[in-house]
Amino acid sequence: MTYADGTADSAVLAESVVQSVDWLAVAPPTIVAVAAVALLVADLFVPERAKHLLGWGAIAALALSLLALLPLLDGDRATFCLTDGPDACSYTADRFALVGQLLVLAGALLAALLSVHDVRATKLPAGEFWFLLLASAAGAALLPAARDLATLVIALEVASLPAFALVGLRRGDRLSSEAALKFFLSSVTATAVMLLGVSFVYAAGGSLHLARLADGLADAPEQLETLAAAGVVLTLVGFAFKTAAVPFHFWVPDTYVGAPIPVAAYLSVVGKAVGFSGLILVTVVAFPAYDHVWGPAVAVLAALTMTAGNVAALRQRLDAPHSAVRLLAWSSVAQAGYLLVPIAAAAYAEDPGRAVGSTLAYALMYGVVNLGAFAVVAAVAAKGGRGGRIADHRGLASTRLPVALALAFFLINLAGLPPGIIGLFAKVTVLGAAVDAGLGWLAVVMAANVVVGLYYYLQWTALLFRPAAPAAEPTAVRTTLTAPLRGAIGLTAALGIALSGAPQLVLRFAGEALL
């Protein structure tokens, strides 16, 4: 209450600004963050012979965080809201956040399964590795639910900073150190540019909350339009780096080669999920008034990215060291171009939420089959220390037919060919989003790039069923398929088949996610 002299009852004021936290809404990233700290502390007390148990603890925490998504399926929870406007919240567990968190946490879980073998085989420091992986996953899970620029930036950096250390965790390895340095310097530069852009749009829009920022930019004074437009472009730079869009893609191949293969798999899926989630939020939710600025820019980035990725992938030699990881790295750049197409279409579409739903559906497909491909590459690369060449996969069908069939299924899905129904459906959906938005030229560019990509995907697939070279070791792959590797390959194959059985449901679930 307010007294005659204008003073207010302090108890009433305190009650008006204190709000309870919806712990159920924030449970998925919180579980992962708490587990990260717990494993780091536990590493101090666990004897060396039992360090592998830390990995299974990380896997259990990620599985528990996925289960924590089930009570949130109604998609109507929010917390950390402004007291004068409950519509402006910093954390929202809506359908978009749930799809993003599902992709991030499932991707991190599969990467953790791959890492159990790698951490023991390469003698990486277990405590540090699992702490960094879970810390990065916690930031990545936070980002899709963030609804203000400050939380977005913090989540992006929490997801990124541990990833630098993961890439460079091989002590004494020149490739690993060089990859971490390139990754770090490129990311820091992009983040600095993005922060400058965020400051510009905040000055023009007057709010950090995305919904209010959209209204503020729409009503901004005319003299601030140039400042706002510059801020929009600069903000896109940071997320363009995370998605590996041209010209911010040069760090990808060297980083993937220098990192442990499970970490490269993690970056290729979870890192991209972070970038695309943030890009969708800032463009479609915060900057709709400037769709004439970011729409054409994202469309051009999409065309350049898919073309650069496919052309570079075509140049990979089958017998070159690390050629399997390099091809998957350049393939991920090309796939990022495809994922950018629906975001560009959202600037021109009557229903932006449906357009970006195509990106989410494609990302779910890409995440499953790409992690599966990395799982097979990890198994084959471990057999003789020959650097993970594509040529090492020759004759795999004669020694490990189920593994060869799984890799063939993954590659065919990435190519967008039947019987990889989910891969074909995802590409058709993305093409449809471009056509519906009137971006016929971008659809033509994408179709041409899909044809180009068929060559290197099918070349690798055919190699699996050729007779093994005379010098090949027929039992090598069999000896490296540990239980976690078998689990990762089998789980990704099962998920890919399940998604192929219900592609319409995937699109419907993702298409209703945002608006």
Side-chain angles (χ1 to χ4, degrees):
M1 66 180 285
T2 304
Y3 299 101
D5 59 357
T7 61
D9 190 333
S10 60
V12 174
L13 282 177
E15 184 179 356
S16 68
V17 297
V18 174
Q19 55 179 302
S20 60
V21 176
D22 187 344
W23 290 106
L24 186 62
V26 301
T30 303
I31 290 171
V32 181
V34 170
V37 176
L39 290 177
L40 185 64
V41 174
D43 181 56
L44 300 174
F45 305 99
V46 174
E48 192 65 34
R49 65 180 181 277
K51 294 288 187 184
H52 64 280
L53 295 177
L54 298 177
W56 293 108
I59 291 171
L62 290 166
L64 182 61
S65 66
L66 282 169
L67 292 176
L69 295 176
L70 294 177
L72 307 176
L73 289 179
D74 52 6
D76 61 354
R77 288 180 175 269
T79 189
F80 302 110
C81 302
L82 295 180
T83 54
D84 63 341
D87 58 321
C89 301
S90 294
Y91 187 101
T92 302
D94 56 12
R95 293 289 295 276
F96 175 81
L98 293 180
V99 174
Q101 290 177 339
L102 172 64
L103 179 58
V104 164
L105 295 173
L109 176 61
L110 290 169
L113 277 173
L114 292 179
S115 302
V116 169
H117 167 79
D118 199 73
V119 169
R120 296 188 70 178
T122 58
K123 297 183 179 179
L124 293 174
E128 291 93 324
F129 181 90
W130 296 114
F131 167 75
L132 291 169
L133 183 67
L134 291 185
S136 178
L142 171 62
L143 192 139
R147 292 299 181 272
D148 69 64
L149 290 176
T151 307
L152 267 177
V153 172
I154 291 171
L156 187 65
E157 292 309 297
V158 171
S160 300
L161 290 175
F164 305 148
L166 282 172
V167 171
L169 205 56
R170 287 176 177 166
R171 296 166 183 170
D173 188 313
R174 183 186 61 82
L175 283 177
S176 180
S177 301
E178 181 181 338
L181 182 61
K182 287 181 179 178
F183 188 20
F184 173 75
L185 293 177
S186 302
S187 181
V188 166
T189 303
T191 300
V193 174
M194 181 183 64
L195 287 174
L196 181 62
V198 166
S199 66
F200 284 178
V201 295
Y202 173 66
S207 177
L208 288 176
H209 288 85
L210 302 184
R212 292 194 173 185
L213 179 61
D215 296 335
L217 291 176
D219 300 330
E222 185 177 349
Q223 59 268 30
L224 294 180
E225 287 186 359
T226 302
L227 179 70
V232 168
V233 173
L234 293 175
T235 303
L236 295 182
V237 168
F239 294 105
F241 171 85
K242 298 300 178 185
T243 59
V246 172
F248 311 104
H249 68 293
F250 290 107
W251 60 274
V252 173
D254 289 340
T255 298
Y256 284 19
V257 167
I261 291 180
V263 174
Y266 175 83
L267 292 176
S268 73
V269 174
V270 178
K272 276 189 171 49
V274 168
F276 281 104
S277 297
L279 189 61
I280 290 171
L281 288 173
V282 297
T283 53
V284 179
V285 179
F287 303 153
Y290 285 82
D291 54 8
H292 60 285
V293 175
W294 58 261
V298 174
V300 172
L301 284 179
L304 292 176
T305 301
M306 65 179 74
T307 303
N310 280 318
V311 169
L314 282 174
R315 299 178 57 193
Q316 301 307 308
R317 292 171 43 228
L318 301 183
D319 59 347
H322 313 290
S323 56
V325 175
R326 281 193 176 275
L327 189 142
L328 288 176
W330 286 114
S331 164
S332 74
V333 174
Q335 298 289 340
Y338 304 148
L339 286 161
L340 286 169
V341 171
I343 301 176
Y348 305 91
E350 294 182 1
D351 186 0
R354 183 176 179 81
V356 297
S358 301
T359 288
L360 295 174
Y362 195 109
L364 287 171
M365 178 282 301
Y366 165 78
V368 170
V369 298
N370 204 61
L371 280 167
F374 269 106
V376 177
V377 168
V380 175
K383 68 179 182 178
R386 290 181 287 182
R389 304 176 304 168
I390 297 174
D392 294 342
H393 296 76
R394 180 173 177 173
L396 183 60
S398 63
T399 58
R400 275 285 181 177
L401 182 59
V403 176
L405 290 175
L407 180 56
F409 175 70
F410 300 142
L411 295 174
I412 287 172
N413 270 289
L414 289 172
L417 289 176
I421 302 299
I422 190 63
L424 175 63
F425 186 82
K427 282 186 168 56
V428 170
T429 301
V430 169
L431 280 169
V435 172
D436 292 343
L439 294 174
W441 68 270
L442 186 55
V444 171
V445 172
M446 179 178 173
N449 273 279
V450 170
V451 173
V452 172
L454 293 179
Y455 175 79
Y456 58 83
Y457 287 127
L458 293 181
Q459 181 186 40
W460 192 349
T461 303
L463 196 68
L464 302 174
F465 301 94
R466 290 181 184 172
E473 301 172 24
T475 61
V477 178
R478 182 175 290 109
T479 60
T480 58
L481 278 177
T482 60
L485 282 175
R486 284 198 303 269
I489 295 171
L491 185 56
T492 49
L495 287 173
I497 294 171
L499 291 175
S500 292
Q504 293 273 7
L505 292 179
V506 176
L507 180 63
R508 187 181 307 165
F509 178 68
E512 297 173 355
L514 185 57
L515 298 176

